[in-house]
Amino acid sequence: MKKLGVILLVLFGCVGLKAQQRHLLENENALAEIDLRQGALVGLKNKETGWAIIGNGEKDACSFEASVRLADGSFHVIDASTQEQPKVMATENTVTLVWNSFDVAGKKLEITFTGTIEMTADGLVYAGNIENNSECIVEQLSWPLLREVTIPADTRKMLFQYMSYSKFNTVELYSREAGRGWSHLPENSFTLIHNTKQGLYLSSMDHELNEYIRCEYELFPTSEYAAFVGGNLSKQNAGERNRMRTQIKAARMLYVSEHSEEALVPFIIAPYTGTWHKGVDIYKKWRATWFVAPHRAEWLNHVNSWQQLQINSSESRKNFKIKDLNKYVDECRKYGVDAIQLTGWTKGGQDRGLPSHDLDSRLGTVDEFKKAIADANKKGVKILLFTKFTWADLTTDYHEQYLPHLAWSQLQDTCVHPGYNYNTYTQLIGVNTRRFGIFCMMDNDLRKKLRAEFQKCLDLGAPGMVYDENQHHAGTYLCFNPNHGHKVPGFLYKGADLLGREFYEMCQKSNPDFLMTGEGPYDLQAQYYATYTRGEYDHDPVLRYIDSEVPIAFLVTDHNDRNRVNACVANRYSISYEPRNFKGHLNEFPRVLKYGQQVDKLRKRYADFLWNAEFRDVLGAEVTGKGVRYTVFHNNKTGKKAVVVYNTDMWKSTIATVALKDSNSSLIMVSPEKQAPSRFNGQVEIAPQSLIVVMEN
């Protein structure tokens, strides 16, 4: 750690020594250099690899950028280079910079921005405060602002990744010319920029959703670009891309109104060395300081499987009635399925009548439904009610009572979800698509109404729900409706967090074992919700790597969808059977159902390795083979490892070699078809869409 004997107080009108214009901040992994004349980050180095992350030093460096709307309505973008130099206080680990005014359109505005940059053991943390004593609005502030992030010399691909829908969303920054894009924080938890060998971790340290930040990337041509583009060799060795710079910024959507003050949430930048797991480990370390797992019903501690079943569609295609539900329950008992996710039971059917959670009277009576739920529970099958609280169906005869609770855009337009097209020809071509009004959940009166709708689910005696689309608000992040009692604008995701907390408290009073599941929740929602997710088998299971225990159910919908079944084993997911896109019977796809029963039997037999274990993704083993995927588990009781290996090829067998790192134990092998252990000698042939498990003996 760098040692400084004194605190420097620098007022640059009085200081001419260049040595006092730079300040170094250092921890075990990173070395940062701050230009004190404007607070710009002009150097950032990964000490382990030598990667000089920030390029061009002073040439393009800038500490902040701000968007300001004046009282006359005009909009202006400023940055630190156009402002007077700040007052600076520098200590061993921290630099504090104070801009006492903003110069905007020839006017000096009474806005004080205090920015802090602190080097902690975990990384470089940006925070601060804005005090606005002017008549303008500070709409957005980019702090930190990295004008050029370099590409390491050994890079074939540079990726921009963030967690969405339980997995990674990935943009290629290099060698592709990516343009501009962003992740949403804290919704997406963190952002990684990496080349698979080393990277940069960026995240807001905000688990209470106090501030909406867009972590943006943008590519800009350098001065050499125009002369080079289109030439004979311009595409060779990523020549055009190498003449572009990559800007990264934390764009804070603050909207600090006139005569008000706003504290900035901490934002961390940290280099790391290794695969994406090392970057996520930074998040996991911080997460452990605040995350408390919710109470979960005991049945979730054991291997379990689900069925999703639609009883009614939005176009009144009624697949069965409440009195027929017992037939599906008995099928679940027969095939060892533990829960039914019942979709479309509410007024109007799936995605209609929202947010009403009254039973559709065409399906049966409330008493019939309560009895069916209770009878299913006695048979060991949990009825999980499909719910949705994020929209108001604007085609209902009662939607007007919800109009005051809808989010507004900055132009005071009502925010609307385009709706979905199902089943009928008229709807498939958009003739009678139902539009949804987007709720502002920062509205206390709205949440009171939604709690009343949720209470209907609890009153039915159901053991759980699956809250569909709880993870997004159709691209609406901020609400400018001044009638909701929140700061204008309000952050919709904070309102959703409040609602989740309130739902959870209702469950603790009514039925602590009530399972609240959401569709692909972001990680902050794991404080309240389990996860139901859809997607392909070959995703990176980031949420599972973050939390080995959060319940996650994953769809299986095809007649021979063994790769998704294998992904459930590899990622510790519950299988969610969905024949005919959740409109059929379990016996309609006997091959995949039989295979699912086999793998769940295997998981129950070796639960300490495959269920009650720490998920390590690919860490701790080396596996090779064409078309092979694998994951590693640590037995929490013994510390021994297991490797789930599966062949994704649908037609051909493959030879896989498996070696466990740092292991001197003999190895055994099991499979769904051969569950008794046999000796493993390092190599095995795996049939198409099949798996084996290698375990330390």
Side-chain angles (χ1 to χ4, degrees):
M1 179 69 71
K2 181 175 174 62
K3 300 293 183 183
L4 294 180
V6 296
I7 293 177
L8 303 175
L9 183 59
V10 183
L11 183 59
F12 277 100
C14 306
V15 176
L17 296 177
K18 189 165 184 177
Q20 292 178 307
Q21 295 175 359
R22 296 293 183 90
H23 189 73
L24 299 181
L25 299 171
E26 187 174 4
N27 64 14
E28 290 186 3
N29 304 313
L31 176 64
E33 188 174 5
I34 310 298
D35 181 351
L36 297 179
R37 289 169 298 181
Q38 62 152 308
L41 182 64
V42 294
L44 181 62
K45 183 178 181 179
N46 182 329
K47 291 169 62 176
E48 185 174 351
T49 67
W51 176 26
I53 299 164
I54 302 299
N56 279 339
E58 299 177 10
K59 182 180 177 183
D60 295 309
C62 187
S63 59
F64 78 86
E65 182 182 85
S67 302
V68 180
R69 190 173 298 277
L70 300 183
D72 62 8
S74 61
F75 181 80
H76 305 270
V77 178
I78 63 170
D79 63 42
S81 67
T82 65
Q83 305 301 303
E84 293 182 2
Q85 291 183 351
K87 295 180 179 179
V88 181
M89 185 175 72
T91 68
E92 178 184 352
N93 299 318
T94 306
V95 174
T96 301
L97 306 112
V98 181
W99 288 266
N100 282 317
S101 63
F102 278 1
D103 291 329
V104 181
K107 301 177 181 179
K108 189 176 291 291
L109 305 178
E110 291 185 64
I111 300 170
T112 300
F113 169 37
T114 302
T116 61
I117 309 171
E118 179 184 7
M119 182 64 84
T120 69
D122 297 314
L124 200 61
V125 177
Y126 280 70
N129 186 78
I130 291 183
E131 185 177 353
N132 181 10
N133 291 313
S134 74
E135 303 300 320
C136 76
I137 299 174
V138 182
E139 294 192 353
Q140 177 258 315
L141 174 76
S142 291
W143 174 258
L145 172 60
L146 311 182
R147 276 289 170 87
E148 181 168 4
V149 173
T150 67
I151 308 297
D154 60 345
T155 297
R156 297 184 64 182
K157 287 187 183 296
M158 197 76 168
L159 305 178
F160 182 95
Q161 290 188 311
Y162 53 91
M163 187 172 66
S164 177
Y165 211 74
S166 308
K167 58 183 177 58
F168 266 140
N169 193 43
T170 303
V171 177
E172 183 182 313
L173 295 182
Y174 179 89
S175 56
R176 175 176 171 263
E177 299 174 32
R180 183 178 183 224
W182 50 81
S183 62
H184 302 284
L185 299 173
E187 174 200 353
N188 298 136
S189 300
F190 54 84
T191 300
L192 304 181
I193 300 171
H194 69 95
N195 68 352
T196 74
K197 301 173 185 177
Q198 60 178 319
L200 195 63
Y201 169 89
L202 306 105
S203 181
S204 63
M205 303 174 73
D206 174 20
H207 63 89
E208 295 180 343
L209 296 110
N210 289 318
E211 187 179 314
Y212 168 39
I213 298 177
R214 292 200 331 189
C215 185
E216 298 186 3
Y217 67 82
E218 189 167 5
L219 270 60
F220 294 93
T222 63
S223 58
E224 302 95 355
Y225 181 83
F228 196 81
V229 67
N232 291 335
L233 303 177
S234 65
K235 293 293 184 182
Q236 187 171 322
N237 299 320
E240 291 182 14
R241 177 60 179 84
N242 286 327
R243 286 161 176 78
M244 303 183 79
R245 62 181 177 87
T246 305
Q247 175 178 280
I248 304 293
K249 61 183 178 182
R252 301 168 182 264
M253 305 301 173
L254 295 172
Y255 290 85
V256 186
S257 59
E258 60 271 21
H259 303 289
S260 66
E261 187 173 359
E262 193 80 25
L264 310 181
V265 302
F267 187 97
I268 187 170
I269 305 171
Y272 66 88
T273 304
T275 60
W276 61 260
H277 307 86
K278 292 295 185 181
V280 178
D281 286 345
I282 301 171
Y283 176 77
K284 290 173 69 174
K285 180 181 177 182
W286 173 67
R287 182 185 192 262
T289 65
W290 54 264
F291 182 82
V292 178
H295 171 81
R296 296 182 180 124
E298 197 274 338
W299 67 276
L300 296 165
N301 296 328
H302 308 285
V303 178
N304 58 83
S305 59
W306 301 12
Q307 178 185 8
Q308 183 173 185
L309 183 61
Q310 187 192 73
I311 190 170
N312 188 17
S313 79
S314 64
E315 291 295 276
S316 300
R317 186 175 68 181
K318 297 178 286 295
N319 294 313
F320 61 95
K321 293 191 174 183
I322 295 298
K323 63 183 178 62
D324 301 314
L325 181 58
N326 66 300
K327 298 176 183 177
Y328 293 90
V329 170
D330 289 340
E331 288 177 5
C332 286
R333 285 189 69 193
K334 177 180 177 180
Y335 295 112
V337 174
D338 301 272
I340 292 175
Q341 181 188 157
L342 189 64
T343 300
W345 63 276
T346 51
K347 183 183 293 187
Q350 181 183 353
D351 289 323
R352 183 174 172 183
L354 306 172
S356 171
H357 285 74
D358 292 326
L359 174 67
D360 191 317
S361 59
R362 297 172 297 175
L363 303 175
T365 68
V366 171
D367 287 340
E368 284 179 319
F369 198 23
K370 287 182 178 179
K371 185 178 185 304
I373 291 170
D375 289 345
N377 208 38
K378 290 176 183 176
K379 294 177 180 179
V381 178
K382 282 73 179 173
I383 303 298
L384 308 179
L385 302 176
F386 180 97
T387 63
K388 190 170 295 195
F389 301 95
T390 41
W391 329 118
D393 179 352
L394 298 179
T395 68
T396 66
D397 57 5
Y398 48 83
H399 75 274
E400 290 187 359
Q401 65 176 294
Y402 293 104
L403 294 181
H405 308 301
L406 301 184
W408 285 4
S409 72
Q410 189 170 13
L411 298 177
Q412 298 192 339
D413 291 329
T414 300
C415 297
V416 176
H417 182 295
Y420 298 110
N421 296 325
Y422 296 128
N423 306 135
T424 62
Y425 291 112
T426 50
Q427 196 169 84
L428 289 172
I429 64 173
V431 170
N432 63 331
T433 303
R434 291 177 176 81
R435 311 300 182 190
F436 303 145
I438 299 170
F439 282 143
C440 171
M441 292 182 177
M442 287 294 287
D443 185 339
N444 293 334
D445 291 336
L446 168 70
R447 294 202 312 280
K448 182 178 179 180
K449 291 180 179 180
L450 296 181
R451 290 196 301 271
E453 295 300 323
F454 178 54
Q455 185 63 49
K456 296 174 183 177
C457 302
L458 296 175
D459 291 344
L460 287 169
M465 72 167 179
V466 180
Y467 179 173
D468 192 53
E469 295 189 280
N470 72 315
Q471 86 284 14
H472 76 98
H473 301 271
T476 300
Y477 284 82
L478 300 173
C479 173
F480 292 82
N481 191 325
N483 305 312
H484 292 169
H486 56 64
K487 170 200 166 185
V488 177
F491 187 18
L492 267 63
Y493 283 71
K494 186 174 182 66
D497 187 70
L498 292 171
L499 185 67
R501 191 178 310 163
E502 291 164 356
F503 280 178
Y504 183 70
E505 290 171 354
M506 291 171 66
C507 293
Q508 299 315 294
K509 294 177 181 178
S510 175
N511 175 15
D513 284 342
F514 187 92
L515 173 64
M516 295 209 306
T517 304
E519 182 195 4
Y522 43 94
D523 181 57
L524 292 179
Q525 293 182 311
Q527 299 172 98
Y528 320 113
Y529 303 105
T531 295
Y532 166 77
T533 186
R534 306 169 69 83
E536 299 302 322
Y537 66 85
D538 57 352
H539 63 275
D540 288 317
V542 188
L543 179 58
R544 174 56 75 222
Y545 181 75
I546 290 171
D547 192 330
S548 294
E549 297 180 356
V550 61
I552 302 176
F554 184 65
L555 92 160
V556 172
T557 191
D558 189 71
H559 284 256
N560 198 29
D561 209 354
R562 287 168 60 116
N563 274 331
R564 279 204 182 96
V565 174
N566 292 336
C568 288
V569 181
N571 299 327
R572 194 194 173 274
Y573 295 163
S574 299
I575 301 170
S576 178
Y577 296 105
E578 304 184 7
R580 277 197 289 123
N581 289 311
F582 52 93
K583 290 176 279 293
H585 291 267
L586 289 174
N587 59 15
E588 291 185 47
F589 52 12
R591 287 179 296 170
V592 75
L593 183 62
K594 179 181 178 181
Y595 185 62
Q597 289 176 295
Q598 288 178 314
V599 300
D600 276 354
K601 182 179 179 182
L602 182 75
R603 291 202 280 184
K604 290 173 182 177
R605 179 168 178 174
Y606 298 99
D608 287 341
F609 277 106
L610 300 177
W611 193 262
N612 305 313
E614 180 189 4
F615 177 81
R616 298 295 294 154
D617 195 42
V618 298
L619 303 179
E622 292 183 355
V623 179
T624 61
K626 186 177 180 179
V628 160
R629 293 184 65 83
Y630 72 97
T631 59
V632 179
F633 291 87
H634 280 191
N635 186 316
N636 288 326
K637 294 179 180 178
T638 66
K640 294 181 178 181
K641 287 184 280 193
V643 188
V644 177
V645 186
Y646 64 102
N647 175 16
T648 63
D649 195 291
M650 296 184 65
W651 312 109
K652 297 179 182 179
S653 296
T654 192
I655 302 295
T657 61
V658 182
L660 273 64
K661 297 178 181 179
D662 304 319
S663 174
N664 296 317
S665 301
S666 60
L667 301 178
I668 56 175
M669 179 181 72
V670 297
S671 70
E673 296 83 5
K674 297 180 180 180
Q675 301 198 3
S678 60
R679 184 184 178 94
F680 179 72
N681 294 315
Q683 194 173 81
V684 63
E685 181 177 356
I686 307 177
Q689 288 200 97
S690 296
L691 71 79
I692 57 106
V693 181
V694 175
M695 297 177 286
E696 290 184 291
N697 198 1

